[in-house]
Amino acid sequence: SKGWKYTGSKMRYSNCRDMVRIGDFIPWKELVKWNRQRFYTDRPSYRYAQAFSMIDFLRRGEGSRGWQEKWGDLLDMYRKVVLVKGDANLAVDTAFREWTDKDWEDLTEAWKAWVGSGKFLKGK
């Protein structure tokens, strides 16, 4: 009840903070299209930390600097398409339909600001 609060993963926080600081993260536009084999080939725990923070941002980042309302529906749209069609690529294409390079850039910058601010670790 009053004593519990969601916080981000302490185990992944330092990796996420470092990847934003250093800039060696995979652009969202690319990473959302990676298949399982590619994802787990190069530095899988580091890539997992990034993916974890991306999902976490979409779940808890509302109200953070740069947040756009349209991002709030991305995960739900993705989930629905995967459940109905069983196709992760179609789910990505549907959730991010009509996105421009500017949309991807805005999302990336808001995610970087959120991770860098420590909100990822602290929770809402």
PDB file of all heavy atoms in Angstrom, residues 87-98:
ATOM      1  N   ASP A  87       2.898 -11.275 -35.275  1.00  0.00           N
ATOM      2  CA  ASP A  87       3.964 -10.776 -36.145  1.00  0.00           C
ATOM      3  C   ASP A  87       4.592  -9.528 -35.524  1.00  0.00           C
ATOM      4  O   ASP A  87       3.994  -8.441 -35.552  1.00  0.00           O
ATOM      5  CB  ASP A  87       3.373 -10.456 -37.514  1.00  0.00           C
ATOM      6  CG  ASP A  87       4.389 -10.049 -38.561  1.00  0.00           C
ATOM      7  OD1 ASP A  87       5.486  -9.554 -38.198  1.00  0.00           O
ATOM      8  OD2 ASP A  87       4.091 -10.196 -39.763  1.00  0.00           O
ATOM      9  N   ALA A  88       5.787  -9.674 -34.985  1.00  0.00           N
ATOM     10  CA  ALA A  88       6.455  -8.554 -34.315  1.00  0.00           C
ATOM     11  C   ALA A  88       6.819  -7.444 -35.292  1.00  0.00           C
ATOM     12  O   ALA A  88       6.743  -6.255 -34.940  1.00  0.00           O
ATOM     13  CB  ALA A  88       7.704  -9.043 -33.583  1.00  0.00           C
ATOM     14  N   ASN A  89       7.216  -7.794 -36.506  1.00  0.00           N
ATOM     15  CA  ASN A  89       7.552  -6.750 -37.488  1.00  0.00           C
ATOM     16  C   ASN A  89       6.327  -5.922 -37.858  1.00  0.00           C
ATOM     17  O   ASN A  89       6.410  -4.699 -37.952  1.00  0.00           O
ATOM     18  CB  ASN A  89       8.175  -7.360 -38.746  1.00  0.00           C
ATOM     19  CG  ASN A  89       9.590  -7.829 -38.509  1.00  0.00           C
ATOM     20  OD1 ASN A  89      10.334  -7.221 -37.753  1.00  0.00           O
ATOM     21  ND2 ASN A  89       9.959  -8.922 -39.137  1.00  0.00           N
ATOM     22  N   LEU A  90       5.207  -6.593 -38.057  1.00  0.00           N
ATOM     23  CA  LEU A  90       3.967  -5.880 -38.351  1.00  0.00           C
ATOM     24  C   LEU A  90       3.572  -5.007 -37.159  1.00  0.00           C
ATOM     25  O   LEU A  90       3.094  -3.884 -37.337  1.00  0.00           O
ATOM     26  CB  LEU A  90       2.841  -6.862 -38.681  1.00  0.00           C
ATOM     27  CG  LEU A  90       1.480  -6.241 -38.960  1.00  0.00           C
ATOM     28  CD1 LEU A  90       1.535  -5.308 -40.177  1.00  0.00           C
ATOM     29  CD2 LEU A  90       0.433  -7.346 -39.159  1.00  0.00           C
ATOM     30  N   ALA A  91       3.788  -5.506 -35.961  1.00  0.00           N
ATOM     31  CA  ALA A  91       3.464  -4.743 -34.759  1.00  0.00           C
ATOM     32  C   ALA A  91       4.293  -3.459 -34.681  1.00  0.00           C
ATOM     33  O   ALA A  91       3.765  -2.390 -34.353  1.00  0.00           O
ATOM     34  CB  ALA A  91       3.685  -5.596 -33.513  1.00  0.00           C
ATOM     35  N   VAL A  92       5.576  -3.548 -34.984  1.00  0.00           N
ATOM     36  CA  VAL A  92       6.441  -2.356 -34.990  1.00  0.00           C
ATOM     37  C   VAL A  92       5.982  -1.394 -36.082  1.00  0.00           C
ATOM     38  O   VAL A  92       5.832  -0.190 -35.839  1.00  0.00           O
ATOM     39  CB  VAL A  92       7.924  -2.736 -35.176  1.00  0.00           C
ATOM     40  CG1 VAL A  92       8.771  -1.507 -35.463  1.00  0.00           C
ATOM     41  CG2 VAL A  92       8.444  -3.464 -33.950  1.00  0.00           C
ATOM     42  N   ASP A  93       5.741  -1.932 -37.277  1.00  0.00           N
ATOM     43  CA  ASP A  93       5.304  -1.078 -38.385  1.00  0.00           C
ATOM     44  C   ASP A  93       3.983  -0.378 -38.064  1.00  0.00           C
ATOM     45  O   ASP A  93       3.787   0.783 -38.425  1.00  0.00           O
ATOM     46  CB  ASP A  93       5.146  -1.894 -39.669  1.00  0.00           C
ATOM     47  CG  ASP A  93       6.472  -2.359 -40.235  1.00  0.00           C
ATOM     48  OD1 ASP A  93       7.524  -1.802 -39.847  1.00  0.00           O
ATOM     49  OD2 ASP A  93       6.458  -3.297 -41.068  1.00  0.00           O
ATOM     50  N   THR A  94       3.094  -1.073 -37.385  1.00  0.00           N
ATOM     51  CA  THR A  94       1.788  -0.498 -37.040  1.00  0.00           C
ATOM     52  C   THR A  94       1.931   0.539 -35.936  1.00  0.00           C
ATOM     53  O   THR A  94       1.372   1.644 -36.027  1.00  0.00           O
ATOM     54  CB  THR A  94       0.812  -1.611 -36.613  1.00  0.00           C
ATOM     55  OG1 THR A  94       0.699  -2.565 -37.673  1.00  0.00           O
ATOM     56  CG2 THR A  94      -0.554  -1.041 -36.279  1.00  0.00           C
ATOM     57  N   ALA A  95       2.646   0.204 -34.888  1.00  0.00           N
ATOM     58  CA  ALA A  95       2.792   1.132 -33.755  1.00  0.00           C
ATOM     59  C   ALA A  95       3.490   2.419 -34.177  1.00  0.00           C
ATOM     60  O   ALA A  95       3.137   3.500 -33.693  1.00  0.00           O
ATOM     61  CB  ALA A  95       3.568   0.462 -32.619  1.00  0.00           C
ATOM     62  N   PHE A  96       4.467   2.306 -35.072  1.00  0.00           N
ATOM     63  CA  PHE A  96       5.246   3.478 -35.490  1.00  0.00           C
ATOM     64  C   PHE A  96       4.879   3.941 -36.902  1.00  0.00           C
ATOM     65  O   PHE A  96       5.686   4.576 -37.569  1.00  0.00           O
ATOM     66  CB  PHE A  96       6.738   3.159 -35.405  1.00  0.00           C
ATOM     67  CG  PHE A  96       7.225   2.888 -34.011  1.00  0.00           C
ATOM     68  CD1 PHE A  96       7.397   1.592 -33.563  1.00  0.00           C
ATOM     69  CD2 PHE A  96       7.487   3.933 -33.132  1.00  0.00           C
ATOM     70  CE1 PHE A  96       7.842   1.330 -32.263  1.00  0.00           C
ATOM     71  CE2 PHE A  96       7.925   3.688 -31.842  1.00  0.00           C
ATOM     72  CZ  PHE A  96       8.102   2.385 -31.400  1.00  0.00           C
ATOM     73  N   ARG A  97       3.670   3.662 -37.313  1.00  0.00           N
ATOM     74  CA  ARG A  97       3.243   4.035 -38.674  1.00  0.00           C
ATOM     75  C   ARG A  97       3.305   5.555 -38.854  1.00  0.00           C
ATOM     76  O   ARG A  97       3.019   6.313 -37.936  1.00  0.00           O
ATOM     77  CB  ARG A  97       1.855   3.502 -38.971  1.00  0.00           C
ATOM     78  CG  ARG A  97       0.749   4.183 -38.191  1.00  0.00           C
ATOM     79  CD  ARG A  97      -0.589   3.470 -38.336  1.00  0.00           C
ATOM     80  NE  ARG A  97      -1.572   3.995 -37.432  1.00  0.00           N
ATOM     81  CZ  ARG A  97      -1.656   3.723 -36.137  1.00  0.00           C
ATOM     82  NH1 ARG A  97      -0.785   2.899 -35.592  1.00  0.00           N
ATOM     83  NH2 ARG A  97      -2.581   4.253 -35.376  1.00  0.00           N
ATOM     84  N   GLU A  98       3.720   5.919 -40.035  1.00  0.00           N
ATOM     85  CA  GLU A  98       3.799   7.332 -40.441  1.00  0.00           C
ATOM     86  C   GLU A  98       4.783   8.153 -39.615  1.00  0.00           C
ATOM     87  O   GLU A  98       4.703   9.377 -39.588  1.00  0.00           O
ATOM     88  CB  GLU A  98       2.407   7.976 -40.429  1.00  0.00           C
ATOM     89  CG  GLU A  98       1.447   7.306 -41.383  1.00  0.00           C
ATOM     90  CD  GLU A  98       0.054   7.909 -41.363  1.00  0.00           C
ATOM     91  OE1 GLU A  98      -0.127   8.998 -40.788  1.00  0.00           O
ATOM     92  OE2 GLU A  98      -0.849   7.278 -41.932  1.00  0.00           O
TER      93      GLU A  98
END
